[in-house]
Coordinates of all heavy atoms in Angstrom, one line a residue:
A95 N -23.7 -19.9 10.2 CA -23.0 -19.9 11.5 C -22.5 -18.5 11.9 O -21.9 -17.7 11.1 CB -21.8 -20.7 11.5
L96 N -22.8 -18.1 13.1 CA -22.1 -16.8 13.8 C -21.0 -17.3 14.7 O -20.2 -16.5 14.8 CB -23.3 -16.1 14.6 CG -24.6 -15.6 13.9 CD1 -25.5 -15.0 14.8 CD2 -24.3 -14.8 12.8
W97 N -21.2 -18.5 15.2 CA -20.2 -19.0 16.2 C -20.1 -20.5 15.9 O -21.2 -21.2 15.9 CB -20.5 -18.6 17.6 CG -19.4 -19.1 18.6 CD1 -19.5 -20.3 19.3 CD2 -18.3 -18.3 18.9 NE1 -18.3 -20.2 20.1 CE2 -17.6 -19.1 20.0 CE3 -17.8 -17.1 18.6 CZ2 -16.4 -18.7 20.5 CZ3 -16.6 -16.6 19.2 CH2 -16.0 -17.4 20.1
K98 N -19.0 -21.0 15.9 CA -18.8 -22.4 15.5 C -18.1 -23.2 16.6 O -16.9 -22.7 16.9 CB -18.0 -22.6 14.1 CG -18.2 -24.1 13.7 CD -19.6 -24.5 13.3 CE -19.7 -26.0 13.1 NZ -21.2 -26.4 13.0
K99 N -18.6 -24.2 17.0 CA -17.9 -25.0 18.1 C -16.7 -25.6 17.4 O -16.6 -26.2 16.3 CB -18.8 -26.2 18.5 CG -18.2 -27.1 19.6 CD -19.2 -28.2 19.9 CE -18.6 -29.2 20.9 NZ -19.5 -30.3 21.3
S100 N -15.4 -25.5 18.2 CA -14.3 -25.8 17.6 C -14.0 -27.3 17.9 O -14.3 -27.9 19.0 CB -13.0 -25.0 18.4 OG -13.2 -23.6 17.9
K101 N -13.4 -27.9 16.9 CA -13.0 -29.3 17.1 C -11.5 -29.4 17.7 O -10.9 -28.3 17.8 CB -12.8 -30.1 15.7 CG -14.2 -30.0 14.9 CD -14.1 -30.7 13.6 CE -15.4 -30.8 12.9 NZ -15.3 -31.4 11.5
E102 N -11.1 -30.6 18.2 CA -9.9 -30.7 18.8 C -8.7 -30.2 17.9 O -8.7 -30.7 16.7 CB -9.7 -32.1 19.2 CG -8.4 -32.4 20.0 CD -8.2 -33.8 20.5 OE1 -9.3 -34.5 20.3 OE2 -7.1 -34.0 21.0
G103 N -7.9 -29.3 18.5 CA -6.7 -28.9 17.6 C -6.9 -27.6 16.8 O -6.1 -27.0 16.4
E104 N -8.3 -27.2 16.8 CA -8.6 -26.0 16.1 C -8.5 -24.8 17.1 O -8.7 -24.9 18.2 CB -10.0 -26.1 15.5 CG -10.2 -27.1 14.3 CD -11.6 -27.2 13.9 OE1 -12.4 -26.6 14.6 OE2 -11.8 -27.5 12.8
P105 N -8.3 -23.6 16.5 CA -8.3 -22.3 17.3 C -9.6 -22.3 18.1 O -10.7 -22.6 17.5 CB -8.1 -21.2 16.3 CG -7.6 -21.9 15.1 CD -8.0 -23.2 15.1
S106 N -9.5 -21.7 19.3 CA -10.8 -21.6 20.0 C -10.7 -20.5 21.3 O -9.6 -20.2 21.6 CB -11.1 -23.0 20.7 OG -10.2 -23.3 21.7
W107 N -11.9 -20.0 21.5 CA -12.1 -19.0 22.6 C -13.3 -19.5 23.4 O -14.1 -20.0 22.9 CB -12.2 -17.6 22.0 CG -11.1 -17.0 21.3 CD1 -10.1 -16.2 21.9 CD2 -10.5 -17.3 20.0 NE1 -9.2 -15.9 21.1 CE2 -9.4 -16.5 19.9 CE3 -11.1 -18.0 19.0 CZ2 -8.7 -16.5 18.7 CZ3 -10.3 -17.9 17.8 CH2 -9.2 -17.2 17.7
N108 N -13.2 -19.0 24.7 CA -14.3 -19.4 25.5 C -15.5 -18.5 25.3 O -15.3 -17.2 24.9 CB -13.9 -19.3 27.0 CG -14.8 -19.8 28.0 OD1 -15.6 -20.6 27.7 ND2 -14.9 -19.1 29.3
S109 N -16.6 -19.1 25.4 CA -17.9 -18.3 25.2 C -19.0 -18.9 26.0 O -18.9 -19.8 26.4 CB -18.3 -18.3 23.7 OG -18.9 -19.6 23.4
P110 N -20.3 -18.1 26.0 CA -21.3 -18.7 26.7 C -21.8 -20.1 26.2 O -22.6 -20.8 26.9 CB -22.4 -17.7 26.6 CG -21.7 -16.4 26.3 CD -20.4 -16.8 25.6
W111 N -21.4 -20.3 25.0 CA -21.9 -21.5 24.3 C -20.8 -22.5 24.2 O -21.0 -23.6 23.6 CB -22.3 -21.2 22.9 CG -23.0 -19.9 22.9 CD1 -24.3 -19.6 23.2 CD2 -22.5 -18.5 22.4 NE1 -24.6 -18.3 23.1 CE2 -23.6 -17.6 22.6 CE3 -21.3 -18.1 21.9 CZ2 -23.3 -16.2 22.4 CZ3 -21.2 -16.8 21.5 CH2 -22.2 -15.8 21.9
G112 N -19.7 -22.3 24.9 CA -18.6 -23.3 24.9 C -17.4 -22.8 24.0 O -17.3 -21.7 23.6
E113 N -16.4 -23.6 24.0 CA -15.2 -23.4 23.3 C -15.5 -23.3 21.8 O -16.1 -24.3 21.2 CB -14.0 -24.3 23.5 CG -13.5 -24.3 24.9 CD -12.7 -23.1 25.2 OE1 -11.9 -22.6 24.4 OE2 -13.0 -22.4 26.4
G114 N -15.1 -22.2 21.1 CA -15.4 -22.1 19.7 C -14.7 -20.9 19.1 O -13.8 -20.3 19.6
R115 N -15.2 -20.5 17.8 CA -14.5 -19.5 17.0 C -15.5 -18.7 16.2 O -16.6 -19.3 15.9 CB -13.4 -20.0 16.2 CG -13.7 -21.1 15.4 CD -12.5 -21.9 14.8 NE -12.9 -23.1 14.1 CZ -13.0 -23.3 12.9 NH1 -12.9 -22.2 12.0 NH2 -13.2 -24.5 12.4
P116 N -15.4 -17.5 15.9 CA -16.3 -16.8 15.0 C -16.6 -17.4 13.7 O -15.8 -18.2 13.0 CB -15.7 -15.4 14.9 CG -14.6 -15.3 15.8 CD -14.2 -16.8 16.1
G117 N -17.8 -17.2 13.2 CA -18.1 -17.5 11.7 C -17.4 -16.6 10.8 O -16.7 -15.6 11.2
W118 N -17.4 -16.9 9.6 CA -16.8 -16.2 8.5 C -17.3 -14.7 8.4 O -16.5 -13.7 8.3 CB -16.9 -16.9 7.2 CG -16.4 -16.1 6.0 CD1 -15.4 -15.2 6.0 CD2 -16.9 -16.2 4.6 NE1 -15.2 -14.7 4.7 CE2 -16.0 -15.3 3.8 CE3 -17.9 -16.9 4.0 CZ2 -16.3 -15.1 2.4 CZ3 -18.0 -16.8 2.6 CH2 -17.2 -15.8 2.0
H119 N -18.5 -14.4 8.6 CA -19.1 -13.1 8.3 C -19.1 -12.2 9.5 O -19.2 -11.0 9.4 CB -20.5 -13.2 7.7 CG -20.6 -14.5 6.7 ND1 -20.2 -14.5 5.5 CD2 -21.4 -15.6 6.8 CE1 -20.5 -15.7 4.9 NE2 -21.2 -16.3 5.8
I120 N -19.2 -12.8 10.7 CA -19.6 -12.0 11.9 C -18.4 -11.0 12.3 O -18.7 -9.9 12.6 CB -20.0 -12.9 13.1 CG1 -20.6 -12.1 14.3 CG2 -18.7 -13.7 13.6 CD1 -21.9 -11.5 13.9
E121 N -17.2 -11.5 12.0 CA -16.1 -10.6 12.3 C -16.2 -9.2 11.7 O -15.9 -8.2 12.3 CB -14.7 -11.3 12.0 CG -14.6 -11.8 10.6 CD -13.6 -12.7 10.4 OE1 -13.5 -13.7 11.1 OE2 -12.9 -12.7 9.4
C122 N -16.6 -9.2 10.5 CA -16.6 -8.0 9.6 C -17.8 -7.1 10.3 O -17.5 -5.9 10.3 CB -16.9 -8.2 8.3 SG -15.6 -9.1 7.4
S123 N -18.8 -7.6 10.5 CA -19.9 -6.8 11.1 C -19.5 -6.3 12.4 O -19.8 -5.0 12.7 CB -21.2 -7.7 11.2 OG -21.6 -8.3 10.1
V124 N -18.9 -7.0 13.3 CA -18.6 -6.6 14.6 C -17.5 -5.5 14.5 O -17.7 -4.4 15.2 CB -18.2 -7.7 15.5 CG1 -17.6 -7.2 16.8 CG2 -19.2 -8.8 15.7
M125 N -16.5 -5.7 13.8 CA -15.4 -4.7 13.8 C -15.7 -3.3 13.2 O -15.5 -2.3 13.7 CB -14.1 -5.4 13.1 CG -13.5 -6.4 13.8 SD -11.9 -7.0 13.1 CE -12.4 -7.7 11.6
A126 N -16.5 -3.4 12.1 CA -16.9 -2.2 11.4 C -18.0 -1.5 12.3 O -17.9 -0.3 12.5 CB -17.6 -2.6 10.1
S127 N -19.0 -2.1 12.9 CA -19.8 -1.5 13.8 C -19.3 -0.8 15.0 O -19.5 0.3 15.4 CB -20.9 -2.6 14.3 OG -21.6 -3.1 13.2
D128 N -18.2 -1.5 15.6 CA -17.4 -0.9 16.7 C -16.7 0.3 16.3 O -16.9 1.3 16.9 CB -16.4 -1.9 17.2 CG -15.8 -1.5 18.5 OD1 -16.3 -1.6 19.5 OD2 -14.7 -1.0 18.2
V129 N -16.2 0.3 15.1 CA -15.4 1.6 14.8 C -16.3 2.7 14.5 O -16.1 3.9 14.9 CB -14.5 1.2 13.6 CG1 -13.9 2.5 13.0 CG2 -13.3 0.2 13.8
F130 N -17.5 2.5 13.7 CA -18.3 3.5 13.3 C -19.1 3.9 14.5 O -19.5 5.2 14.5 CB -19.1 3.1 12.1 CG -18.3 3.0 10.8 CD1 -18.0 1.8 10.2 CD2 -17.9 4.2 10.3 CE1 -17.3 1.8 9.1 CE2 -17.1 4.2 9.1 CZ -16.8 2.9 8.4
R131 N -19.4 3.0 15.3 CA -20.1 3.7 16.7 C -19.1 4.6 17.4 O -19.6 5.6 18.0 CB -20.5 2.4 17.5 CG -21.9 1.9 17.0 CD -22.1 0.7 17.9 NE -23.5 0.2 17.4 CZ -23.9 -1.2 17.4 NH1 -23.1 -2.0 17.8 NH2 -25.1 -1.4 17.1
R132 N -17.9 4.3 17.4 CA -17.0 5.2 18.1 C -16.9 6.5 17.4 O -16.4 7.6 18.0 CB -15.5 4.6 18.2 CG -15.5 3.3 19.2 CD -14.1 2.7 19.1 NE -14.1 1.5 19.9 CZ -13.9 1.4 21.2 NH1 -13.8 2.5 21.9 NH2 -14.0 0.2 21.8
L133 N -17.1 6.5 16.1 CA -17.0 7.7 15.3 C -18.3 8.5 15.3 O -18.5 9.4 14.5 CB -16.7 7.4 13.9 CG -15.2 6.9 13.7 CD1 -14.9 6.5 12.3 CD2 -14.2 7.9 14.2
G134 N -19.3 8.0 16.0 CA -20.6 8.8 16.2 C -21.8 8.2 15.7 O -23.0 8.8 15.9
D135 N -21.8 7.1 14.9 CA -23.1 6.5 14.5 C -23.6 5.5 15.4 O -22.9 4.5 15.5 CB -22.8 5.9 13.1 CG -24.2 5.4 12.3 OD1 -25.2 5.1 13.1 OD2 -24.2 5.3 11.2
P136 N -24.8 5.6 16.0 CA -25.2 4.7 17.0 C -25.6 3.3 16.5 O -25.5 2.3 17.2 CB -26.4 5.3 17.5 CG -26.9 6.4 16.5 CD -25.7 6.8 15.9
E137 N -25.8 3.3 15.1 CA -26.1 2.0 14.6 C -24.8 1.3 14.0 O -24.9 0.2 13.6 CB -27.2 2.1 13.5 CG -28.6 2.5 14.1 CD -29.7 2.7 12.9 OE1 -29.2 2.8 11.8 OE2 -30.8 2.7 13.3
G138 N -23.8 2.0 14.0 CA -22.5 1.5 13.4 C -22.4 1.4 11.9 O -21.7 0.6 11.4
G139 N -23.4 2.1 11.3 CA -23.4 1.8 9.8 C -22.5 2.7 9.1 O -21.6 3.4 9.6
M140 N -22.4 2.3 7.8 CA -21.4 3.0 6.9 C -22.0 3.5 5.7 O -23.0 3.0 5.1 CB -20.2 2.1 6.6 CG -20.6 0.9 5.7 SD -19.1 -0.2 5.6 CE -19.2 -1.0 7.2
D141 N -21.5 4.6 5.0 CA -22.0 5.0 3.7 C -21.4 4.3 2.6 O -22.3 3.8 1.7 CB -21.5 6.5 3.6 CG -22.2 7.3 2.4 OD1 -23.3 7.0 2.3 OD2 -21.6 8.1 1.7
I142 N -20.1 4.1 2.4 CA -19.6 3.3 1.3 C -18.8 2.1 1.9 O -18.0 2.2 2.7 CB -18.6 4.2 0.5 CG1 -19.4 5.4 -0.1 CG2 -18.1 3.3 -0.7 CD1 -18.5 6.3 -0.9
H143 N -19.1 0.9 1.3 CA -18.4 -0.3 1.7 C -17.7 -0.9 0.5 O -18.3 -1.1 -0.6 CB -19.5 -1.3 2.2 CG -19.0 -2.6 2.7 ND1 -18.1 -3.4 2.1 CD2 -19.4 -3.3 3.9 CE1 -17.8 -4.5 2.8 NE2 -18.6 -4.4 3.9
S144 N -16.3 -0.8 0.6 CA -15.7 -1.4 -0.4 C -16.0 -2.9 -0.7 O -16.4 -3.6 0.3 CB -14.1 -1.4 -0.3 OG -13.8 -2.2 1.0
G145 N -16.0 -3.5 -1.9 CA -16.3 -4.7 -2.1 C -15.8 -5.4 -3.3 O -15.1 -4.8 -4.1
G146 N -16.3 -6.6 -3.5 CA -16.0 -7.4 -4.7 C -17.1 -8.2 -5.2 O -17.9 -8.8 -4.4
V147 N -17.3 -8.4 -6.5 CA -18.5 -9.0 -6.9 C -18.5 -10.6 -6.5 O -19.4 -11.1 -6.4 CB -18.6 -9.1 -8.6 CG1 -18.9 -7.7 -9.0 CG2 -17.2 -9.6 -9.1
D148 N -17.2 -11.1 -6.3 CA -17.1 -12.5 -5.8 C -17.6 -12.7 -4.3 O -17.8 -13.8 -3.8 CB -15.6 -13.0 -5.9 CG -14.7 -12.1 -5.2 OD1 -15.0 -10.9 -5.1 OD2 -13.6 -12.6 -4.9
L149 N -17.8 -11.5 -3.6 CA -18.2 -11.7 -2.3 C -19.7 -11.1 -2.0 O -20.0 -11.1 -0.8 CB -17.2 -10.9 -1.3 CG -15.8 -11.4 -1.2 CD1 -15.0 -10.4 -0.4 CD2 -15.8 -12.7 -0.6
K150 N -20.4 -10.8 -3.0 CA -21.7 -10.2 -2.8 C -22.6 -11.3 -2.0 O -23.3 -10.8 -1.1 CB -22.4 -10.0 -4.2 CG -21.8 -8.8 -4.8 CD -22.4 -8.7 -6.4 CE -23.7 -8.3 -6.3 NZ -24.3 -8.0 -7.7
F151 N -22.6 -12.5 -2.4 CA -23.3 -13.6 -1.6 C -22.4 -14.8 -1.5 O -21.8 -15.1 -2.5 CB -24.6 -13.9 -2.2 CG -25.5 -14.9 -1.5 CD1 -26.2 -14.5 -0.5 CD2 -25.2 -16.2 -1.6 CE1 -27.0 -15.3 0.3 CE2 -26.1 -17.2 -0.9 CZ -26.8 -16.7 0.0
P152 N -22.2 -15.3 -0.3 CA -23.1 -15.0 0.9 C -22.4 -13.9 1.8 O -23.1 -13.5 2.7 CB -23.1 -16.3 1.6 CG -21.7 -17.0 1.3 CD -21.4 -16.6 -0.1
H153 N -21.3 -13.6 1.5 CA -20.5 -12.7 2.6 C -21.0 -11.4 2.8 O -21.5 -11.1 4.0 CB -19.0 -12.5 2.3 CG -18.2 -11.9 3.3 ND1 -18.1 -12.3 4.7 CD2 -17.5 -10.7 3.3 CE1 -17.4 -11.5 5.3 NE2 -17.0 -10.5 4.5
H154 N -21.2 -10.6 1.8 CA -21.8 -9.2 2.0 C -23.3 -9.2 2.5 O -23.7 -8.5 3.4 CB -21.6 -8.4 0.7 CG -20.2 -7.9 0.6 ND1 -19.7 -7.8 -0.7 CD2 -19.1 -7.8 1.5 CE1 -18.4 -7.5 -0.6 NE2 -17.9 -7.5 0.7
D155 N -24.0 -10.0 1.8 CA -25.4 -10.2 2.3 C -25.6 -10.6 3.8 O -26.4 -10.0 4.6 CB -26.3 -11.1 1.4 CG -26.8 -10.4 0.2 OD1 -27.4 -9.3 0.4 OD2 -26.8 -10.9 -0.9
N156 N -24.8 -11.6 4.1 CA -24.9 -12.0 5.6 C -24.3 -11.0 6.4 O -24.8 -10.9 7.6 CB -24.1 -13.4 5.6 CG -24.7 -14.5 5.0 OD1 -25.9 -14.4 4.5 ND2 -24.1 -15.7 5.1
E157 N -23.1 -10.3 6.0 CA -22.6 -9.3 6.9 C -23.8 -8.2 7.2 O -23.8 -7.9 8.4 CB -21.5 -8.7 6.1 CG -20.7 -7.6 7.0 CD -19.5 -7.0 6.0 OE1 -19.5 -7.3 4.8 OE2 -18.9 -6.1 6.6
M158 N -24.4 -7.8 6.2 CA -25.4 -6.7 6.4 C -26.6 -7.3 7.3 O -27.0 -6.5 8.1 CB -26.0 -6.3 5.1 CG -25.0 -5.4 4.4 SD -25.9 -4.6 2.9 CE -26.3 -6.0 1.8
A159 N -26.9 -8.6 7.0 CA -28.1 -9.1 7.8 C -27.8 -9.2 9.4 O -28.5 -8.7 10.1 CB -28.4 -10.5 7.3
Q160 N -26.5 -9.6 9.6 CA -26.1 -9.7 11.0 C -26.1 -8.3 11.7 O -26.6 -8.1 12.7 CB -24.7 -10.2 11.0 CG -24.5 -11.6 10.6 CD -23.1 -12.0 10.4 OE1 -22.8 -13.1 10.3 NE2 -22.2 -11.0 10.1
A161 N -25.5 -7.3 10.9 CA -25.5 -6.0 11.5 C -26.8 -5.3 11.8 O -27.0 -4.6 12.8 CB -24.7 -5.1 10.6
E162 N -27.7 -5.5 10.8 CA -29.0 -5.0 10.8 C -29.9 -5.8 12.0 O -30.7 -5.1 12.7 CB -29.8 -5.1 9.6 CG -29.2 -4.1 8.6 CD -29.5 -4.3 7.2 OE1 -30.5 -5.1 7.0 OE2 -29.1 -3.6 6.2
A163 N -29.6 -7.0 12.2 CA -30.3 -7.8 13.2 C -29.8 -7.4 14.7 O -30.6 -7.4 15.6 CB -30.0 -9.3 13.1
E164 N -28.6 -7.0 14.8 CA -28.0 -6.6 16.0 C -28.4 -5.1 16.4 O -28.7 -4.8 17.5 CB -26.5 -6.7 16.0 CG -25.7 -6.5 17.4 CD -25.4 -5.1 17.4 OE1 -25.5 -4.2 16.6 OE2 -25.0 -4.7 18.6
S165 N -28.4 -4.2 15.4 CA -28.5 -2.8 15.6 C -30.0 -2.4 15.5 O -30.4 -1.4 16.1 CB -27.7 -1.9 14.7 OG -28.2 -2.1 13.3
G166 N -30.8 -3.1 14.8 CA -32.2 -2.8 14.4 C -32.2 -1.8 13.4 O -33.4 -1.4 12.9
S167 N -31.1 -1.6 12.6 CA -31.1 -0.7 11.6 C -31.8 -1.4 10.3 O -31.7 -2.6 10.1 CB -29.6 -0.5 11.1 OG -29.6 0.2 9.8
G168 N -32.5 -0.6 9.4 CA -33.0 -1.1 8.1 C -32.1 -1.0 7.0 O -32.3 -1.6 6.0
Q169 N -31.0 -0.3 7.2 CA -30.0 -0.2 6.0 C -28.7 0.2 6.7 O -28.4 1.3 6.9 CB -30.4 0.9 5.0 CG -29.5 0.9 3.8 CD -30.1 1.7 2.7 OE1 -31.2 1.3 2.3 NE2 -29.4 2.7 2.2
W170 N -27.8 -0.9 6.8 CA -26.5 -0.7 7.5 C -25.5 -0.2 6.5 O -24.5 0.5 7.0 CB -26.2 -2.1 8.0 CG -24.9 -2.1 8.8 CD1 -24.7 -1.4 10.1 CD2 -23.7 -2.7 8.5 NE1 -23.4 -1.7 10.6 CE2 -22.8 -2.4 9.7 CE3 -23.2 -3.5 7.6 CZ2 -21.4 -3.0 9.8 CZ3 -21.8 -4.1 7.7 CH2 -21.0 -3.9 8.7
V171 N -25.6 -0.4 5.1 CA -24.7 0.1 4.2 C -25.6 0.9 3.1 O -26.6 0.3 2.7 CB -23.9 -1.0 3.5 CG1 -23.1 -0.5 2.3 CG2 -23.0 -1.7 4.5
N172 N -25.0 2.0 2.7 CA -25.6 2.8 1.6 C -25.2 2.4 0.2 O -26.0 2.3 -0.7 CB -25.6 4.2 1.9 CG -26.3 4.7 3.1 OD1 -27.3 4.1 3.6 ND2 -25.8 5.8 3.8
Y173 N -23.9 2.2 0.1 CA -23.4 2.0 -1.2 C -22.3 1.0 -1.2 O -21.4 0.9 -0.2 CB -22.7 3.2 -1.9 CG -23.7 4.4 -1.8 CD1 -23.7 5.5 -1.0 CD2 -24.5 4.5 -3.0 CE1 -24.7 6.5 -1.1 CE2 -25.5 5.5 -3.2 CZ -25.5 6.5 -2.2 OH -26.4 7.6 -2.3
F174 N -22.1 0.0 -2.2 CA -21.1 -0.9 -2.2 C -20.3 -0.5 -3.5 O -20.8 -0.3 -4.6 CB -21.7 -2.4 -2.5 CG -21.9 -3.1 -1.2 CD1 -23.1 -3.1 -0.6 CD2 -20.7 -3.8 -0.7 CE1 -23.2 -3.8 0.6 CE2 -20.9 -4.5 0.5 CZ -22.1 -4.5 1.2
G175 N -18.9 -0.6 -3.3 CA -18.0 -0.3 -4.5 C -17.6 -1.6 -5.0 O -18.0 -2.8 -4.6
F176 N -16.9 -1.6 -6.2 CA -16.5 -2.8 -6.9 C -15.1 -3.0 -6.8 O -14.2 -2.0 -6.4 CB -17.0 -2.8 -8.3 CG -18.5 -3.0 -8.6 CD1 -19.4 -2.0 -8.4 CD2 -19.0 -4.3 -8.9 CE1 -20.8 -2.2 -8.6 CE2 -20.2 -4.5 -9.1 CZ -21.1 -3.5 -8.9
K177 N -14.5 -4.0 -7.4 CA -13.2 -4.2 -7.3 C -12.9 -5.0 -8.7 O -13.7 -5.5 -9.4 CB -12.5 -4.9 -6.2 CG -12.9 -6.3 -6.2 CD -12.1 -7.1 -5.2 CE -12.4 -8.6 -5.3 NZ -11.5 -9.5 -4.6

Side-chain angles (χ1 to χ4, degrees):
L96 301 180
W97 185 265
K98 191 63 188 171
K99 180 180 179 180
S100 293
K101 297 179 180 178
E102 185 177 352
E104 293 180 340
S106 65
W107 288 264
N108 188 31
S109 78
W111 318 288
E113 294 290 315
R115 52 197 170 96
W118 173 28
H119 321 289
I120 192 67
E121 55 199 41
C122 299
S123 302
V124 174
M125 292 189 294
S127 296
D128 183 84
V129 170
F130 286 111
R131 277 176 175 149
R132 292 179 186 275
L133 294 175
D135 186 335
E137 294 181 344
M140 66 186 79
D141 191 34
I142 300 175
H143 187 310
S144 63
V147 292
D148 53 334
L149 295 177
K150 287 173 69 175
F151 184 85
H153 183 60
H154 288 149
D155 267 322
N156 287 357
E157 184 187 0
M158 284 193 293
Q160 294 164 159
E162 291 168 7
E164 187 269 350
S165 66
S167 168
Q169 184 164 305
W170 188 61
V171 175
N172 292 332
Y173 302 97
F174 267 94
F176 285 83
K177 67 162 190 170

